[in-house]
């Protein structure tokens, strides 16, 4: 790709690279539609920038050579799609014909995809040009971004920090300016955590709002806490344009299991006052002071703008984390996940997790019993990792998830809420820490269990005052997890601080509309 860029620069030496890279997606799309910019110029400008960003951060796994074929293809299309000429990066495990979907595991290195995933087909139909596949953590089940094949991805804002995961390559590439729009996936926060760590906007839709056909994962068939694909970008309008482009007849035709619900522009464009529930802690894993400050300042800005703010307390998060989330993924005691590491060297970032999961079930049970009086959170975590012993227990656990969703929706409706404002894990962790703190994702995990659309918007940055206040942080129990979190987020002055915005299932447009309001207000106060 470097050679292709060099040849293009020789042919067109007068390209205004910085001017193109600075354009917001909506403006860039408009210029491409009207013809004042060519898709070729935009593609090679972004490839050139992506080469620079990945050299610094190791975020691109491979460039997609077929992007040059797609460039020729769109120029022959009769109608220009909504994403005509827009270069798009995609996460490693989203299928693209001729490319590998490795999940950071060696056993998937020899099997290129035979066809595009449905999402890639729809992107191409809308005129987009998928040009890069981005790096992920080994097995995807981690929110650092490192594997033994392609190495560690760094946060472009601070190379001591991780970009988050598992869509960490996307986060780093977009935050570094090497992509204007990316597609990630999220099963516990994998879009929202990189967005938080890298200062981006990211949306986890309701599962199946976008097709998952042709998307690979190391462990398949976990349906009660489903994965979702979603967009990541520099602003909310970009997310909305992407969703509008993807929610089209082509997607509904290619994957009939996707509900045929087109994007509702009227809801996204509405300016009616909202009734907003809010909380700044889930009571299970209190976040650093700067993240709680972000919720408080956003709440105050929303209230001043005429919205109604209502206190909201999420129910039983420790129970949700252990009994509903972890037991779903480790129903078999972690055997299926650990089997994926057969023949693999375990990446250092995953060693704390793998070591814990390999402990025999009986030993886990005994350790949990011993630790319960001293470290109740770790004891419950170990019990959850033991999984389930019967099909009946599995069915009962799935019933508990449905019952919890019903209770949560009842609580939401009793307060007559439109949306909820809440914290998201951050600021960016120092490299190597996520594997030591899987339960810290409780803020994002909740909305995977509930299967609610949830998005992240940066609203501020870490200040010197935040860093001083962090020294007094005691967390939930002042235990080893709390002390590890304190170490993980230290040294983050100037890094992004974000909030999370949530709506009820299938209300992505309302979620985006709320995110846009938060974005506008944070920009207006100079916080972002």
């Amino acid at each position: 790709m470097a050679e292709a860029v060099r040849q293009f620069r020789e042919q067109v030496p007068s390209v205004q690279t910085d001017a193109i890279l600075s354009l917001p997606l909506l403006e860039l799309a408009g210029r491409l539609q009207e013809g004042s910019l060519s898709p070729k110029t935009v593609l090679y400008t972004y490839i050139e920038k992506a080469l620079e960003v990945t050299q610094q951060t190791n975020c691109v796994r491979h460039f997609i050579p077929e992007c040059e074929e797609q460039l020729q293809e769109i120029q022959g299309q009769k109608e220009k799609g909504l994403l005509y000429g827009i270069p798009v990066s995609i996460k490693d495990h989203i299928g693209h014909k001729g490319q590998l979907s490795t999940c950071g595991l060696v056993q998937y290195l020899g099997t290129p995809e035979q066809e595009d995933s449905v999402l890639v087909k729809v992107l191409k139909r809308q005129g987009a040009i998928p040009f890069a596949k981005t790096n992920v953590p080994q097995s995807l089940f981690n929110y650092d971004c490192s594997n033994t094949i392609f190495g560690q991805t760094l946060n472009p804002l601070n190379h001591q920090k991780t970009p988050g995961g598992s869509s960490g390559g996307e986060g780093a590439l977009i935050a570094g300016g090497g992509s204007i729009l990316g597609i990630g996936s999220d099963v516990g926060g994998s879009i929202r955590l990189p967005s938080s760590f890298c200062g981006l906007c990211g949306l986890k839709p309701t599962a199946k709002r976008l097709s998952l056909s042709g998307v690979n994962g190391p462990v398949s068939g976990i349906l009660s806490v489903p994965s979702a694909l979603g967009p990541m970008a520099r602003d909310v309008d970009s997310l909305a344009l992407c969703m509008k482009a993807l929610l089209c007849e082509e997607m509904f035709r290619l994957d009939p299991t996707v509900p045929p619900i087109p994007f509702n522009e009227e809801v996204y464009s509405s300016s009616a006052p909202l009734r907003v529930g809010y909380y700044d802690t889930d009571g299970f894993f209190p976040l650093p002071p700067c993240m709680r400050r972000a919720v408080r300042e956003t709440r105050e800005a929303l209230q001043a703008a005429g919205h109604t703010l209502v206190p909201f307390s999420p129910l039983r998060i420790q129970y949700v984390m252990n009994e509903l989330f972890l037991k779903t993924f480790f129903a078999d005691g972690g055997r299926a996940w650990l089997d994926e590491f057969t023949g693999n060297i375990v990446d250092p970032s995953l060693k704390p997790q793998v070591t814990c999961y390999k402990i025999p079930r009986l030993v886990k049970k005994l350790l949990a019993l011993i630790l319960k009086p001293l470290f109740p959170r770790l004891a419950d975590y170990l019990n959850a990792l033991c999984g389930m012993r019967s099909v009946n227990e599995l069915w009962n656990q799935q019933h508990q998830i449905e019952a919890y969703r019903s209770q949560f929706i009842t609580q939401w409706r009793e307060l007559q809420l439109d949306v909820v404002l809440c914290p998201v894990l951050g600021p960016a962790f120092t490299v190597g820490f996520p594997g030591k703190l899987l339960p810290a994702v409780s803020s994002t995990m909740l909305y995977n269990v509930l299967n609610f659309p949830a998005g992240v918007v940066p609203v501020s940055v870490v200040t010197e005052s935040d860093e001083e206040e962090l020294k007094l942080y005691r967390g939930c129990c002042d235990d080893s997890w709390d002390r590890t979190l304190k170490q993980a987020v230290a040294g983050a002055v100037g890094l992004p601080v974000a909030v999370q915005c949530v709506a009820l299932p299938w209300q992505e447009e309302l979620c985006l509309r709320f995110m846009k309001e938060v974005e506008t207000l944070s920009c207006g106060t100079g916080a972002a």
Side-chain angles (χ1 to χ4, degrees):
M1 277 297 169
E3 178 59 23
V5 169
R6 187 191 64 77
Q7 290 177 7
F8 174 73
R9 296 292 286 181
E10 286 178 356
Q11 294 166 8
V12 193
S14 61
V15 171
Q16 300 293 312
T17 300
D18 291 342
I20 291 170
L21 294 173
S22 67
L23 290 174
L25 178 60
L26 262 63
E27 191 173 343
L28 179 63
R31 298 274 190 94
L32 285 161
Q33 292 278 350
E34 71 187 18
S36 61
L37 277 175
S38 74
K40 186 174 183 179
T41 298
V42 173
L43 175 63
Y44 286 112
T45 296
Y46 268 98
I47 291 175
E48 183 178 40
K49 183 64 177 179
L51 284 162
E52 176 190 320
V53 175
T54 198
Q55 191 170 18
Q56 297 166 357
T57 65
N58 189 38
C59 56
V60 174
R61 201 208 70 195
H62 281 121
F63 287 95
I64 300 172
E66 293 86 352
C67 68
E68 293 176 314
E69 295 174 18
Q70 174 64 2
L71 178 63
Q72 300 303 318
E73 180 74 23
I74 64 168
Q75 290 170 343
Q77 288 178 350
K78 292 179 181 178
E79 292 184 15
K80 293 180 179 178
L82 290 176
L83 297 175
Y84 175 76
I86 300 294
V88 177
S89 50
I90 58 175
K91 188 175 179 178
D92 165 280
H93 70 131
I94 297 171
H96 188 292
K97 185 177 180 180
Q99 298 298 307
L100 297 169
S101 298
T102 71
C103 304
L105 294 162
V106 295
Q107 61 263 41
Y108 299 120
L109 282 175
T111 317
E113 297 291 344
Q114 296 302 301
E115 66 174 318
D116 291 336
S117 58
V118 166
L119 186 126
V120 166
K121 288 178 181 177
V122 177
L123 283 171
K124 289 181 175 180
R125 182 63 179 265
Q126 289 285 17
I129 306 175
F131 76 102
K133 276 203 155 196
T134 51
N135 204 24
V136 292
Q138 189 178 30
S139 83
L140 306 181
F141 203 70
N142 185 276
Y143 59 102
D144 206 331
C145 191
S146 179
N147 61 71
T148 55
I149 307 167
F150 304 107
Q152 173 77 51
T153 299
L154 304 175
N155 191 316
L157 308 178
N158 180 334
H159 290 179
Q160 303 305 309
K161 299 290 185 178
T162 173
S166 59
S167 308
E170 283 301 317
L173 183 60
I174 299 166
S179 176
I180 196 166
L181 178 65
I183 306 294
S185 65
D186 191 311
V187 79
S190 295
I191 287 171
R192 290 162 290 159
L193 295 174
S195 296
S196 171
F197 287 13
C198 294
L200 303 173
C201 296
L203 174 71
K204 178 206 80 70
T206 312
K208 294 297 288 183
R209 187 81 201 261
L210 299 177
S211 175
L212 285 159
S213 179
V215 178
N216 302 287
V219 180
S220 301
I222 300 173
L223 303 179
S224 47
V225 181
S227 180
L229 295 184
M232 300 167 67
R234 297 194 296 242
D235 57 55
V236 178
D237 278 339
S238 299
L239 306 182
L241 177 63
C242 183
M243 291 298 289
K244 186 176 180 180
L246 292 173
L247 295 172
C248 64
E249 286 301 322
E250 184 74 355
M251 177 165 285
F252 308 145
R253 183 185 67 80
L254 290 170
D255 187 349
T257 68
V258 172
I261 311 170
F263 189 82
N264 191 328
E265 183 66 41
E266 185 179 347
V267 172
Y268 179 62
S269 302
S270 172
S271 57
L274 295 168
R275 188 170 171 87
V276 182
Y278 71 90
Y279 61 92
D280 67 1
T281 180
D282 63 17
F284 172 64
F285 223 114
L287 297 183
C290 60
M291 308 313 286
R292 300 178 77 169
R293 170 178 66 79
V295 173
R296 184 182 71 250
E297 290 176 352
T298 303
R299 170 179 62 81
E300 290 168 355
L302 287 164
Q303 210 151 15
H307 302 284
T308 302
L309 278 292
V310 181
F312 181 80
S313 298
L315 304 164
R316 299 177 294 155
I317 299 303
Q318 186 161 342
Y319 160 77
V320 179
M321 184 73 202
N322 293 314
E323 297 300 313
L324 304 186
F325 183 73
L326 287 173
K327 269 197 174 180
T328 291
F329 285 94
F330 296 97
D332 64 346
R335 284 190 297 274
W337 186 74
L338 289 171
D339 284 348
E340 292 295 317
F341 290 88
T342 304
N344 279 272
I345 299 168
V346 176
D347 189 85
S349 67
L350 253 78
K351 278 187 178 175
Q353 284 175 243
V354 171
T355 301
C356 185
Y357 303 157
K358 279 185 173 178
I359 298 170
R361 188 177 194 277
L362 182 58
V363 178
K364 283 193 193 104
K365 286 286 185 185
L366 288 170
L367 281 172
L369 194 65
I370 294 164
L371 290 168
K372 186 71 174 175
L374 302 170
F375 194 176
R377 289 194 299 180
L378 178 55
D380 290 342
Y381 176 64
L382 287 169
N383 268 322
L385 296 182
C386 291
M388 291 173 259
R389 300 304 296 270
S390 68
V391 173
N392 188 57
E393 194 178 346
L394 177 63
W395 287 344
N396 183 55
Q397 192 255 6
Q398 291 173 345
H399 171 72
Q400 288 174 33
I401 290 175
E402 292 298 326
Y404 182 80
R405 283 180 190 142
S406 296
Q407 291 169 15
F408 200 97
I409 291 169
T410 297
Q411 182 189 11
W412 183 297
R413 286 186 166 155
E414 282 174 352
L415 294 171
Q416 300 179 311
L417 303 179
D418 295 311
V419 289
V420 162
L421 169 73
C422 56
V424 60
L425 182 61
F429 278 28
T430 298
V431 167
F433 274 91
K436 304 171 186 176
L437 281 174
L438 179 63
V441 304
S442 61
S443 60
T444 49
M445 162 283 308
L446 173 63
Y447 297 106
N448 295 93
V449 172
L450 289 167
N451 196 17
F452 286 15
V456 162
V457 183
V459 296
S460 184
V461 294
V462 180
T463 64
E464 294 284 359
S465 298
D466 292 326
E467 199 79 1
E468 284 300 309
E469 203 174 337
L470 179 64
K471 294 175 183 177
L472 305 175
Y473 172 85
R474 294 292 177 268
C476 173
C477 315
D478 197 20
D479 57 21
S480 64
W481 278 356
D482 291 323
R483 291 190 289 275
T484 303
L485 179 68
K486 191 173 176 178
Q487 294 170 10
V489 300
V493 172
L495 291 181
V497 170
V499 295
Q500 186 171 204
C501 303
V502 185
L504 289 173
W506 310 110
Q507 295 187 10
E508 281 71 22
E509 296 87 345
L510 180 59
C511 185
L512 287 164
R513 183 260 150 124
F514 180 40
M515 291 169 67
K516 178 67 176 175
E517 184 76 3
V518 168
E519 178 185 58
T520 301
L521 292 171
S522 67
C523 289
T525 59

